[in-house]
Amino acid sequence: MIHGDLRADNMVRDHDRGVTFVDWAHATTGPACIDAASLAPQLVLAGHAPADIARLLRDHPATASSPDTTTAFLAALTVHWHRNARKLAPPAPPDCAPTSTARPPPVSLSSATD
């Protein structure tokens, strides 16, 4: 089972219990690498270096066992973000400064360096 919508606002961190995943509305069956890989854009937007994320994905047990599936999912996710970039950022009101519509770059497992 995969969560299907992992982002920071769907995780609750407790000092004693660790992280609890909430909002399971998009739960489904699928390869374990999907949830781990879906965090990549969120980590980039949070300021983490793509090379560090690629290294993490390469070494994580859920993604290391299926690097081709992980890379294919990341490629599809990148295309989705790229095609929907204009739709994701609503226009700013006339008296506000424009917001950033920057999207994370693609991350390939083969781009990680030690």
Side-chain angles (χ1 to χ4, degrees), residues 24 28 48 65 75:
W24 286 80
T28 188
H48 297 277
S65 62

Side-chain angles (χ1 to χ4, degrees), residues 64-84:
S65 62
S66 53
D68 292 341
T69 302
T70 303
T71 300
F73 177 76
L74 286 170
L77 193 58
T78 300
V79 169
H80 170 76
W81 276 55
H82 177 73
R83 287 187 177 167
N84 292 297

Side-chain angles (χ1 to χ4, degrees), residues 3 5-12 21 23 26 38-39 42:
H3 183 277
D5 191 26
L6 287 186
R7 336 181 283 258
D9 61 337
N10 283 339
M11 299 178 210
V12 178
F21 300 105
D23 187 9
H26 300 286
S38 69
L39 285 174
Q42 303 298 322

